[in-house]
Amino acid sequence: MGASPERSFRPNWQLASVVENIERLRLVSTPGSEEEDVCREHGEKIYFFCEDDEVQLCVVCREAREHQAHTIRFLEAAAGPYREQIQKCLECLRKEREEIEEIQSRENQRIQVLLTQVATKRQKVISEFAHLSHFLAEQQSILLAQLERLDGEILKQRDEFDVLVAGEICRFSALIAELEEKSERQPRELLTDIRSTLIRCETRKCRKPEAVSLDLGQRIRDFPQQAIPLQREMKMFLAHICLDPQTSHPKLLLSEDHQRARFSYKWQNSPDTPQRFDRATCVLAHRGFTRGRHTWVVSVDLAHGGSCTVGVVSQDVRRKGELRLRPEEGVWAVRLAWGFVSALGSFPTRLALEEQPRQVQVSLDYEVGWVTFVNAVTQEPIYTFTASFTQKVFPFFGLWGRGSSFSLSS
């Protein structure tokens, strides 16, 4: 005996909830947007978004077989998480734009310092050659022409840097404007191509260029050696420094004039002051620098092995416990050991040099942010660090190994 027709129908509360939500959306729908919110296939208003297929659905599409096992949400509910992703992307992009603008400001300041240095050198060349013979006058013309080319190269690199930075800022600004505009759209427009838009923004990283190449900076620093005999140049720029016994590790023996230091396994009876290194066998110069260009020469003796470290450190460098010799810790230095030299960057790099230096010329250019190491005898470049100094820096020296020693040239 068949069941009566009335008993074959049961209430579908899930469908009733969907219908109720749809009726509510109809009441708040925006006038004039009905045509573009209508499903082209079924002519029904679009209320849903399929997370799996990333398509917008009407009531009929929602009940289709291909979407039965998929995650379906109302448009506004689906748009919410994507709005949050857009805001995160906007924060990252704005941060990247601020970073590149800071780089632009810093590099432009560096350019001005270099241009000032070139102008100063030009005046020095003119005064040096004013009283000399016709031969030196010809040399003067040659050197001034070289300075003009250096000027031109600095300005050219500045223009290239400005174009590159402007392009980066423009691209980030365009992405930010696109996301800001998209975040204000209606859910359906917001969700259109949303994933590809987010991928473009999330994978976009700014380039962090430098305004002036290391090669050009090195040529500017090396220029005085072409114009003036080395000894005169050294007398003009050589900084008079001496070692600070208050910072010296107890295993370092300092001379009475504080111009020499030698490593010893025997500890000295030195008071433990806040300024003294207690783990790293190092010592600082008594005098630090907050501006200008300064040069000093270190004579290294490793006849019995060991190693010697020379460079500069920031004023707040760690004095107690382990000291990691790298720029992130406020140390810009090279290490000379038996048969090799290493630049102590984020990761130590063994350098390929024609000759093992016995005398190292260390040059600090505070405003430009260069720490340069040169073989003082052969003038072979060893290494150059680029930094942005914000506090006083001190000449830095370290020794390890019996019999290793160094002295400062006056």
Side-chain angles (χ1 to χ4, degrees), residues 33-48:
S33 64
E34 294 182 358
E35 291 185 4
E36 58 186 35
D37 290 345
V38 171
C39 175
R40 295 182 179 179
E41 183 178 355
H42 303 108
E44 293 290 332
K45 188 173 179 61
I46 293 173
Y47 294 104
F48 305 101

Side-chain angles (χ1 to χ4, degrees), residues 256-306:
E256 291 185 3
D257 61 0
H258 299 158
Q259 293 293 299
R260 296 180 299 279
R262 179 169 58 87
F263 180 87
S264 171
Y265 284 107
K266 181 179 179 181
W267 283 61
Q268 309 304 304
N269 186 19
S270 304
D272 184 16
T273 62
Q275 298 82 14
R276 190 179 308 283
F277 292 95
D278 67 351
R279 287 279 297 277
T281 50
C282 304
V283 61
L284 302 184
H286 188 273
R287 174 189 176 195
F289 307 106
T290 56
R291 63 181 180 179
R293 300 177 62 222
H294 309 276
T295 298
W296 57 96
V297 175
V298 185
S299 298
V300 179
D301 184 0
L302 303 177
H304 303 287

